[in-house]
Amino acid sequence: MLAYLLIPVGFVLLIKGADVFVEAASSLARRLRVSDLVVGLTVVAFGTSLPELAVNVTASIQGNTGITIGNIIGSNIANILLILGVAGLIYPLVVTKGTVWKEIPLSLLAAIVVGLAANDRFFDGAPSTLSRVEGLILLCFFIIFLYYSATIARNVEEVPSVAPQKVLTLSRIGLLIGIGFVALILGSRWVVNGAVKMATALGVSEAVIGLTVVALGTSLPELATSAAAAYRKNADIAVGNVIGSNIFNLFFILGISAVIRPIPFQPRANLDLGVLFVASVLLFLWMFTGKRHVLERWQAGVFLLGYAVYVVVITFWLN
C-alpha cells in the first residue's frame, strides 16, 4: 500500500519541484540579460526533463538499473506515441522544415547510438552493458546538440517565449532554487522506492514499471507543455519540446546515468528500442504523407493506438 502512496506524492514533488526550479532559473537568466530564446532552449527544455534526470540519478546511485533504462526509453516512446498523439488530436501539428530534416533525424540517431552502445554481445560476445566510456560518448553527442542549439539561437531573430516572464529578487531566486532542488531529490527517491516496492508486490520486473508507470509520470511536464502549445496552435513548441526532450534524455540523462553506474542491458529491452526506432521513423515518414510537414489527426490517433498496444504487450505478455 505504501508504494501506491509514495509514487503519486513523489510525482507531485518532481513536477512542482521542476516548475519552481525553472521559474527561479529563468528569472536569474533574465537578471543576467540572457535572451528569451536561449532561456527557452536551455532552462525550459532542461526543466521539462528534470523529473527523468532526478529519477535516473537516484536509481543509478541505488543500483536500480531496470528503472534507469526503462524510464528513459519508456519516456521517449511516450513522448512520441502518447504526447504527440494527444497534441495532434487537439490540433494538427505543422512542423518546420528544420525540425523535419534536423531534429527528428537527430533523435533517431540518438536511439541508434544507444542501441549500438548497449548491445556489446553482438560485436564481441561480452555481456551487454552501457559502460562508463559509452556514457561519456553519449555526453559528447549531447555537447554537439548544445552547439547546434546555440547555432539556432544565433540565427533566429525572434520566437515566442515559453519561459516565465517574472523577474524575482536574488533572495527569492535562491530560496526557490533550494526548494525546487529538495523537492526533486525527495520526489525522485519516493518514486524510485515506490516503483521497486510496486514491482515486488505485483510480481513484475523493475523494467516494466520503469517503462510504464515511472516513464509516464516523468513525462507529465512534456505532456502538459505540448498539449497547451497545441491548444494555442503553437506547433513549433509542441513538437520541438518532445523531440528536444528525447535527444536530451538519450544523450545527457542516460549518459550521466551510465557514468554514475554502468547499466546492464537485457536483450528484451531491444524490443523497446525497436518501438522507439519505429515510432521515430514513422514520425519522419508522416511528414511526407498526406499534408506535407503536418502531423494530422488520424496520424496522431494511430500513435495513441500504438502506445496502448505497446503498454498492453509489455505489461501482460513480456513480463
Side-chain angles (χ1 to χ4, degrees):
M1 184 64 184
L2 181 61
Y4 300 99
L5 293 176
L6 282 176
I7 291 177
V9 174
F11 280 145
V12 170
L13 284 175
L14 280 173
I15 294 167
K16 293 304 296 182
D19 186 51
V20 168
F21 194 94
V22 167
E23 180 184 0
S26 298
S27 186
L28 178 61
R30 286 199 170 80
R31 278 189 165 273
L32 298 175
R33 300 187 183 278
V34 176
S35 71
D36 283 350
L37 175 59
V38 174
V39 172
L41 287 171
T42 55
V43 177
V44 175
F46 177 74
T48 57
S49 290
L50 271 177
E52 286 95 337
L53 177 61
V55 166
N56 264 46
V57 169
T58 300
S60 293
I61 292 174
Q62 295 181 359
N64 303 115
T65 52
I67 292 176
T68 300
I69 198 161
N71 175 38
I72 292 303
I73 299 176
S75 290
N76 282 20
I77 292 172
N79 281 350
I80 296 177
L81 297 183
L82 176 63
I83 296 177
L84 285 185
V86 170
L89 281 180
I90 294 173
Y91 189 78
L93 303 176
V94 180
V95 184
T96 64
K97 183 178 179 180
T99 298
V100 171
W101 290 109
K102 294 179 181 178
E103 282 93 346
I104 294 176
L106 186 57
S107 69
L108 180 58
L109 173 65
I112 293 173
V113 169
V114 169
L116 292 175
N119 280 284
D120 304 301
R121 65 192 181 92
F122 290 130
F123 301 102
D124 55 16
S128 294
T129 303
L130 197 61
S131 67
R132 286 189 171 94
V133 172
E134 289 163 336
L136 290 173
I137 292 173
L138 293 179
L139 291 177
C140 289
F141 275 104
F142 180 68
I143 292 173
I144 295 173
F145 172 63
L146 286 183
Y147 176 78
Y148 167 71
S149 298
T151 301
I152 294 178
R154 287 198 301 268
N155 294 336
V156 178
E157 294 181 359
E158 184 178 351
V159 295
S161 174
V162 294
Q165 296 293 327
K166 189 187 303 181
V167 178
L168 308 172
T169 63
L170 287 176
S171 59
R172 185 168 177 80
I173 288 173
L175 177 63
L176 290 179
I177 287 177
I179 291 173
F181 184 75
V182 170
L184 286 167
I185 295 300
L186 287 177
S188 63
R189 284 189 178 180
W190 289 356
V191 167
V192 170
N193 292 338
V196 172
K197 292 180 184 296
M198 178 180 287
T200 302
L202 297 177
V204 299
S205 67
E206 289 182 8
V208 169
I209 296 298
L211 285 161
T212 53
V213 177
V214 178
L216 184 58
T218 55
S219 292
L220 287 177
E222 286 92 343
L223 176 59
T225 300
S226 291
Y231 181 76
R232 297 187 184 101
K233 301 180 181 180
N234 194 330
D236 282 349
I237 293 176
V239 178
N241 170 56
V242 164
I243 301 303
S245 176
N246 278 12
I247 296 170
F248 189 96
N249 287 348
L250 289 173
F251 283 154
F252 181 71
I253 298 180
L254 204 55
I256 287 290
S257 301
V259 169
I260 293 174
R261 185 188 295 267
I263 305 171
F265 188 82
Q266 301 300 323
R268 194 208 67 78
N270 281 314
L271 170 68
D272 308 307
L273 275 174
V275 171
L276 177 58
F277 177 82
V278 169
S280 300
V281 170
L282 196 56
L283 176 61
F284 179 75
L285 292 178
W286 272 346
M287 294 299 97
F288 309 95
T289 304
K291 293 182 180 179
R292 190 176 177 86
H293 295 184
V294 177
L295 183 68
E296 300 181 65
R297 282 193 171 95
W298 73 267
Q299 295 167 329
V302 172
F303 273 167
L304 285 176
L305 178 61
Y307 186 71
V309 171
Y310 167 72
V311 170
V312 169
V313 168
I314 63 171
T315 302
F316 296 105
W317 292 355
L318 298 179
N319 182 53

